[in-house]
Amino acid sequence: DGGITQSPKYLFRKEGQNVTLSCEQNLNHDAMYWYRQDPGQGLRLIYYSQIVNDFQKGDIAEGYSVSREKKESFPLTVTSAQKNPTAFYLCASSEGHSYEQYFGPGTRLTVT
Amino acid sequence: GNSVTQMEGPVTLSEEAFLTINCTYTATGYPSLFWYVQYPGEGLQLLLKATKADDKGSNKGFEATYRKETTSFHLEKGSVQVSDSAVYFCALRDTGANSKLTFGKGITLSVRP
């Protein structure tokens, strides 16, 4: 079955620690995205990548970093510089930047 | 810049009631419009879309018509089911090779038996 996997589903960290969220897709999509979802806020774009070894900042990139070394993988690191890291993080992919986006099941990160 | 405004929620309906969820947008170009649905504990799924004025998107009994004159894309369903309980997001993507999706805040729909 083709799709997007995010792991783990729930993640807990102590304040001051960096944490990396996994996103893998086997849809052979060129573009991948990371969004953050907060209650009542909708989705906000953190980073996106249109091809391997290239990525761009979205609307709220501060305190986050990404890499795109392989087409199928787009991990997101939440650094200790992110002031409010507790949120639901969604990864998505699409054939190209103007095509329909398919979403993964999300990772809920809690930082205490 | 682009923006999407959804009506305030949450919305609670009885099964078989008529549903309308309002969505209006602001965009500089001629955007494509989308409704996404998020079931509890899951990611988002595309529900329907419309790419130009007067287009009607439809899926699973839901419909929305792209109204350029009122900059709206209201979601409707004639008879909701308990299984429609979810969060609904309106979104737009403006024209251009590097255009991004802009989402509304989402609205929670609860349908009671």
Side-chain angles (χ1 to χ4, degrees), chain B residues 21-43:
Chain B
I21 301 177
N22 289 344
C23 172
T24 57
Y25 67 89
T26 302
T28 52
Y30 299 92
S32 295
L33 301 173
F34 306 85
W35 277 101
Y36 282 84
V37 59
Q38 183 179 33
Y39 298 103
E42 298 182 11

Side-chain angles (χ1 to χ4, degrees), chain B residues 15 39 77 80-86 88 111:
Chain B
E15 202 164 26
Y39 298 103
K77 187 174 186 184
V80 293
Q81 306 301 311
V82 172
S83 57
D84 293 326
S85 298
Y88 292 82
V111 181

Side-chain angles (χ1 to χ4, degrees), chain B:
Chain B
N2 297 336
S3 67
V4 176
T5 302
Q6 293 185 231
M7 59 185 276
E8 294 285 327
V11 172
T12 302
L13 295 173
S14 297
E15 202 164 26
E16 298 184 2
F18 184 84
L19 168 72
T20 300
I21 301 177
N22 289 344
C23 172
T24 57
Y25 67 89
T26 302
T28 52
Y30 299 92
S32 295
L33 301 173
F34 306 85
W35 277 101
Y36 282 84
V37 59
Q38 183 179 33
Y39 298 103
E42 298 182 11
L44 274 67
Q45 301 173 26
L46 180 64
L47 181 59
L48 53 84
K49 66 181 181 183
T51 57
K52 60 183 190 296
D54 299 325
D55 266 3
K56 177 187 281 190
S58 61
N59 186 26
K60 299 181 181 180
F62 290 90
E63 292 183 341
T65 300
Y66 188 140
R67 300 281 187 208
K68 189 165 181 293
E69 64 276 14
T70 54
T71 61
S72 65
F73 193 53
H74 305 322
L75 182 68
E76 296 183 336
K77 187 174 186 184
S79 176
V80 293
Q81 306 301 311
V82 172
S83 57
D84 293 326
S85 298
V87 181
Y88 292 82
F89 293 93
C90 186
L92 71 81
R93 187 180 60 226
D94 210 339
T95 52
N98 292 317
S99 56
K100 299 176 288 185
L101 275 177
T102 300
F103 287 87
K105 292 186 176 182
I107 185 169
T108 300
L109 170 66
S110 298
V111 181
R112 50 175 187 253

Side-chain angles (χ1 to χ4, degrees), chain A residues 74 109 112:
Chain A
F74 191 41
L109 173 65
T112 57

Side-chain angles (χ1 to χ4, degrees), chain A residues 9 35 37 40-45 48 50 57-59 88 90 97-106, chain B residues 34 36 38 40-46 49 87 89 93-94 96-106:
Chain A
K9 192 170 177 67
Y35 293 90
Q37 183 179 10
Q41 294 263 3
L43 273 70
R44 292 181 289 171
L45 182 64
Y48 65 102
Q50 298 189 59
K57 292 181 179 180
D59 300 318
F88 189 51
L90 286 160
H97 197 44
S98 297
Y99 291 80
E100 175 185 342
Q101 292 184 21
Y102 294 81
F103 284 80
Chain B
F34 306 85
Y36 282 84
Q38 183 179 33
E42 298 182 11
L44 274 67
Q45 301 173 26
L46 180 64
K49 66 181 181 183
V87 181
F89 293 93
R93 187 180 60 226
D94 210 339
N98 292 317
S99 56
K100 299 176 288 185
L101 275 177
T102 300
F103 287 87
K105 292 186 176 182

